[in-house]
Amino acid sequence: MDTQEGACLPKLSRVAVCGGTHGNELSGVYLIKELMKRRREADDEEQPILVLSNPRAAQQCLRYIEVDLNRCFSHDALNAPLSDSAPYEVIRSREINAVLGPKGSADSVDFICDLHNTTANMGLCFISCSDSDWISLHIFKHLQLCIPDIPMRYLHFDLSHDEAYSLDSVGKHGFAMEVGPQPHGVVRSNVYTTMKTALELVLHWIRLFNCGTVFEGGPVDVFTLVKHVDYPRDCSTHDIVAAIHPLLQDKDFCLLNPGDPVFQTFSGETITYNGSESLYPFFINECAYYEKGIAFSLSRKSRVNVPSLRANRDQSR
Amino acid sequence: MDTQEGACLPKLSRVAVCGGTHGNELSGVYLIKELMKRRREADDEEQPILVLSNPRAAQQCLRYIEVDLNRCFSHDALNAPLSDSAPYEVIRSREINAVLGPKGSADSVDFICDLHNTTANMGLCFISCSDSDWISFRKSRNTGCPLKSVLCHIGPTFLSFSASVSVFRFARWCFVTFPRCVFTAMEVGPQPHGVVRSNVYTTMKTALELVLHWIRLFNCGTVFEGGPVDVFTLVKHVDYPRDCSTHDIVAAIHPLLQDKDFCLLNPGDPVFQTFSGETITYNGSESLYPFFINECAYYEKGIAFSLSRKSRVNVPSLRANRDQSR
C-alpha cells in the first residue's frame, strides 16, 4: 500500500545469499564459504540462507561444467520438461528453484543477493531486471551513503520477471552484486573486502527495514542495457581479429561517443564506434563474454526518483 | 672462442617463436596467429619458425587439456617411454621436440622465444633456466649453449633500444633464472587468463620484434658492448595458508603485497589477509624479491608467490663467430 509520500512493502523475512554461481569468480566462492564457516545459531531472522550455487564448478575452478548456470532461471527454462541427459547446471537450477523458489510463487524467498566477479573495471555494480524494485534501489542508495569511496552503479536489464534468466530473479526481490576488476580464478583482497563490506551493508539495510525504519526517497542514476557489441571476427575461423582499444580498456561507464576508438586490430589499426548515439559502455573485456560474442555492452543513463520506503507494519510477510 | 675483452658465439641460424603453450594466455596465442598470417616467403634466416604450441588448449581457451605442456620438456620427461594412454600434452611435447630439438643435440634450434602471460604485475620478464655455472662464459663455450649468454645481452640491448619506445614505460624488465631446469620464456603481465589486453599484446609484439631485430644484428656481425645485468634468481615458493582438512586456501595475497612484484619483501611485512580479515606476515629471515604474486595458474601448484635474490652479472661483449654459420 503506497502512502502519498512513499511506498510500503512486506518485510523481507526470508533472505538468501548465493556465491559461486560461476565457479571461478572467487570472491563470491570464498565469501560464501567464510559465511558458512561463521554461521551463528542465533535468531533466524538475522540468518540469511547461504548457497554455494555451483559446487562442482567451484571445486574445479571453472565458470560452469556444461552450461552457464546463471542463464537457467527464466520461467520457461525452469518449467521445461527435464530429460535424462539434462546438463548438470539445468538439474542444479531446479534444485535451487526448489529451495529458494519456486520462482513466481508466494513461497519464493523475499530477497536474493547473488555474488559475482568480472574482469571488467566496473567497480561495484548491482544488476537487476527491474528499474522500479524499490527494495533494490534503496539498498543501492544506502550503500552509496555508507561507502561513498567505492565506485558503484545500478545496472538495469529490461526484462520481465518471467523472462529474467539469472539466479537472483528466483526471489521476489534481488540483484546480482558484481565486483571487478578481478581475473577469474584469482581472489584479490581489495575486491573480496569490497564484496564483503557491501554484503554486510545489504544485510544491515534489510535488518533496519524489517525493524520499521523509514528510508527517505531520492534520485538514483540507473544504467539500462541498450545493446551488446561483438569483436570484429575473421569470417572463416570466427577468431577475434582485434582487442579492446587501449583508450576504451578499463573505461567502464565513461561516455562513449560516435567516432571514439573501440578496437585495435592485432596488426595495429584502430576501429571506431559507429553508433549514432553516445552511450555508456560496461562489461568491457569481460573474459566470459568472448564466447557469448560480447566485447562490451552499451547502456543509457536515466534518473529514477525512488519514493520513500518502509516495511508494512500489519503483517510479517 | 672468447677474446680477452668478450665472447664469440655461433650465429643463431635457426630461431623459433612459440605461443599458446598455455592456451588461455591470449597475447601469445593471437600474436603467433598474427605472425603466421603475415609470414613472408623471403630469406629463411629472417624467418623464425612459428609454433602454436598447444592448439587444442588454445581452441578451448584452457591452460591445458590434461597436463601442463610447459612442464614436459625436461630431459627425463622427453626420453621416458611413451604409453598408449599418454596425455595429449606429453604426445605434443614429443612432436615439438622432434621439430625444434631434439633437446641437447646439435640439431636443436639455436634460439627459442616462448610467449606467456601472467595475472601477476610482472611487466615484461625473461624467464630462463641455467646450470649453476652459467655465469662463467669460458665454460659456456664447452656446454655449447649460446642461449644463456645471448639472453644476457638482450638485457642491455633492450635498455638502449627501449629508451625511445613508449610502450616500455609500462614494462619492467627483469631476468629471472631457475637453477637446474632449462627453458626460456617471455612473460608479460598483468593480464587475466582468457583475456587479451591491447597494451599487453603490444608490449609483447614490440618486445618480440626487438628480440628478432637483435638476432639479425647479431648474425650480421654486430659487436654488442658488455655491461651489468641485474638477475633475479629463484630461492623458494610460498604457498597460501590452507585449511588442514579441505586444503582450501584461507587467505588472499595481502593488499600491501598485491601488485608489488620485484619490490623488496622484508621479514615482518604483510603477505596474506585471511578471509576473516587478519594479517599474516612474512616469517623468513632474509629480505627477498617476490614475483608471480597471485598468479592464477599457480593456486593449484601451491604457489601464492615466489621469492628471488637479486645479483648483478657483468656480461662481456658479444659477437657472432665469423668462421662458421653455426
Side-chain angles (χ1 to χ4, degrees):
Chain A
M1 168 184 39
D2 288 2
T3 67
Q4 263 195 332
E5 292 89 14
C8 286
L9 288 168
K11 283 187 188 181
L12 302 172
S13 307
R14 291 178 68 229
V15 172
V17 180
C18 304
T21 301
H22 296 132
N24 58 1
E25 294 177 12
L26 294 191
S27 290
V29 169
Y30 286 113
L31 184 51
I32 274 290
K33 290 184 174 191
E34 177 67 15
L35 294 174
M36 286 172 166
K37 202 163 86 172
R38 285 200 273 157
R39 167 155 298 258
R40 293 173 293 131
E41 311 294 345
D43 188 343
D44 268 4
E45 262 198 329
E46 317 277 55
Q47 200 62 269
I49 300 163
L50 301 172
V51 182
L52 179 62
S53 314
N54 195 335
R56 279 184 58 190
Q59 198 267 331
Q60 298 185 45
C61 198
L62 297 170
R63 180 178 176 86
Y64 54 79
I65 304 296
E66 295 184 76
V67 300
D68 190 336
L69 177 62
N70 211 30
R71 301 292 183 274
C72 292
F73 293 92
S74 68
H75 181 269
D76 288 353
L78 287 171
N79 292 285
L82 198 63
S83 84
D84 287 338
S85 58
Y88 166 73
E89 279 87 7
V90 170
I91 297 171
R92 184 67 185 137
S93 68
R94 306 302 177 94
E95 292 170 4
I96 292 171
N97 192 44
V99 172
L100 304 184
K103 173 170 170 173
S105 78
D107 292 333
S108 61
V109 294
D110 299 300
F111 182 88
I112 294 177
C113 181
D114 187 26
L115 307 172
H116 286 267
N117 290 118
T118 174
T119 57
N121 186 31
M122 285 167 66
L124 171 62
C125 278
F126 283 26
I127 305 181
S128 171
C129 64
S130 168
D131 62 355
S132 56
D133 178 355
W134 308 137
I135 298 275
S136 300
L137 286 159
H138 264 284
I139 293 175
F140 181 76
K141 278 176 94 278
H142 180 69
L143 262 63
Q144 281 184 312
L145 273 174
C146 295
I147 41 174
D149 291 340
I150 306 239
M152 64 180 85
R153 285 99 179 178
Y154 194 98
L155 263 175
H156 167 226
F157 284 37
D158 195 7
L159 295 166
S160 71
H161 194 244
D162 271 3
E163 288 171 327
Y165 45 72
S166 54
L167 191 154
D168 57 277
S169 71
V170 173
K172 297 188 182 65
H173 305 275
F175 47 77
M177 186 155 74
E178 189 88 49
V179 191
Q182 182 177 268
H184 298 319
V186 160
V187 56
R188 289 179 66 99
S189 272
N190 61 332
V191 171
Y192 173 88
T193 300
T194 295
M195 184 180 275
K196 182 160 166 287
T197 303
L199 180 63
E200 284 163 358
L201 287 168
V202 170
L203 299 175
H204 178 57
W205 185 95
I206 291 173
R207 284 192 295 273
L208 291 175
F209 175 75
N210 287 343
C211 291
T213 306
V214 178
F215 295 94
E216 260 188 51
V220 175
D221 283 334
V222 167
F223 293 86
T224 300
L225 170 71
V226 172
K227 61 182 177 181
H228 302 300
V229 177
D230 194 6
Y231 290 96
R233 290 177 186 271
D234 180 284
C235 308
S236 41
T237 64
H238 204 59
D239 262 355
I240 67 172
V241 297
I244 295 287
H245 195 278
L247 293 178
L248 178 61
Q249 180 68 55
D250 299 336
K251 302 295 201 305
D252 299 72
F253 301 106
C254 298
L255 193 63
L256 181 71
N257 299 302
D260 284 351
V262 285
F263 297 113
Q264 187 172 75
T265 68
F266 293 130
S267 49
E269 288 101 44
T270 293
I271 296 173
T272 57
Y273 170 51
N274 64 3
S276 52
E277 181 188 356
S278 294
L279 293 169
Y280 292 88
F282 64 99
F283 276 134
I284 299 173
N285 210 352
E286 161 52 48
C287 172
Y289 287 0
Y290 282 54
E291 69 175 19
K292 297 189 199 292
I294 299 170
F296 57 94
S297 302
L298 290 169
S299 63
R300 207 172 274 124
K301 187 162 78 166
S302 61
R303 182 150 281 194
V304 171
N305 286 308
V306 178
S308 71
L309 180 68
R310 64 169 175 81
N312 196 322
R313 290 188 195 101
D314 301 327
Q315 53 198 113
S316 62
R317 40 170 316 133
Chain B
M1 172 181 34
D2 288 1
T3 68
Q4 263 196 332
E5 291 89 14
C8 286
L9 290 167
K11 283 186 187 180
L12 302 173
S13 307
R14 290 178 69 226
V15 172
V17 179
C18 304
T21 301
H22 296 132
N24 58 0
E25 294 177 12
L26 294 192
S27 290
V29 170
Y30 286 113
L31 184 49
I32 275 289
K33 289 183 173 190
E34 178 65 16
L35 294 174
M36 287 172 165
K37 202 162 85 173
R38 286 199 273 157
R39 164 156 298 259
R40 293 173 293 131
E41 309 296 343
D43 188 343
D44 269 3
E45 261 197 333
E46 316 278 56
Q47 202 60 273
I49 300 163
L50 302 174
V51 181
L52 180 61
S53 316
N54 196 335
R56 277 183 61 191
Q59 198 266 329
Q60 298 184 43
C61 199
L62 297 170
R63 179 176 176 86
Y64 54 81
I65 303 297
E66 295 183 76
V67 299
D68 190 333
L69 176 62
N70 210 27
R71 301 292 183 272
C72 293
F73 291 95
S74 68
H75 181 270
D76 288 351
L78 286 171
N79 291 285
L82 199 63
S83 84
D84 287 338
S85 58
Y88 166 74
E89 280 86 6
V90 169
I91 296 170
R92 183 67 186 138
S93 69
R94 307 301 177 96
E95 292 170 4
I96 291 171
N97 192 44
V99 172
L100 304 185
K103 174 170 168 172
S105 78
D107 292 332
S108 63
V109 294
D110 300 301
F111 184 87
I112 295 175
C113 184
D114 188 26
L115 307 173
H116 286 265
N117 290 118
T118 173
T119 57
N121 185 29
M122 286 167 64
L124 170 63
C125 278
F126 283 90
I127 301 182
S128 183
C129 296
S130 63
D131 300 330
S132 56
D133 67 344
W134 73 280
I135 287 170
S136 164
F137 287 96
R138 292 191 186 283
K139 288 183 184 173
S140 74
R141 160 191 56 179
N142 296 325
T143 56
C145 179
L147 180 58
K148 305 163 208 168
S149 44
V150 162
L151 285 170
C152 280
H153 276 76
I154 288 177
T157 301
F158 262 65
L159 289 173
S160 62
F161 273 19
S162 70
S164 60
V165 178
S166 63
V167 70
F168 282 93
R169 283 200 290 271
F170 150 75
R172 246 175 309 150
W173 185 88
C174 311
F175 186 67
V176 181
T177 68
F178 286 54
R180 291 184 305 281
C181 59
V182 186
F183 66 87
T184 181
M186 185 159 72
E187 189 90 46
V188 190
Q191 181 178 266
H193 298 319
V195 160
V196 57
R197 289 179 67 100
S198 271
N199 61 335
V200 171
Y201 174 88
T202 301
T203 295
M204 183 180 276
K205 181 159 166 290
T206 304
L208 179 62
E209 285 163 356
L210 286 171
V211 168
L212 297 175
H213 179 53
W214 185 94
I215 290 173
R216 282 192 296 271
L217 291 176
F218 175 77
N219 287 344
C220 289
T222 306
V223 178
F224 291 97
E225 264 190 48
V229 175
D230 281 335
V231 168
F232 294 86
T233 302
L234 172 69
V235 172
K236 61 182 174 180
H237 302 300
V238 178
D239 193 6
Y240 291 95
R242 291 179 184 270
D243 180 286
C244 306
S245 41
T246 64
H247 204 59
D248 263 354
I249 68 172
V250 297
I253 294 287
H254 195 277
L256 293 178
L257 177 62
Q258 180 67 56
D259 299 335
K260 301 295 204 298
D261 299 71
F262 300 106
C263 298
L264 192 64
L265 182 71
N266 299 302
D269 285 350
V271 286
F272 297 113
Q273 187 172 74
T274 68
F275 294 130
S276 49
E278 287 102 43
T279 294
I280 295 173
T281 57
Y282 170 50
N283 63 4
S285 53
E286 183 188 355
S287 294
L288 292 170
Y289 292 86
F291 64 101
F292 277 134
I293 298 173
N294 210 350
E295 161 54 45
C296 172
Y298 287 179
Y299 282 55
E300 71 175 19
K301 297 189 199 293
I303 299 171
F305 58 94
S306 303
L307 290 169
S308 62
R309 207 174 273 124
K310 185 163 81 165
S311 58
R312 181 149 282 194
V313 172
N314 287 308
V315 178
S317 71
L318 181 70
R319 65 170 174 81
N321 197 323
R322 289 187 196 101
D323 301 328
Q324 53 198 116
S325 62
R326 22 175 330 126

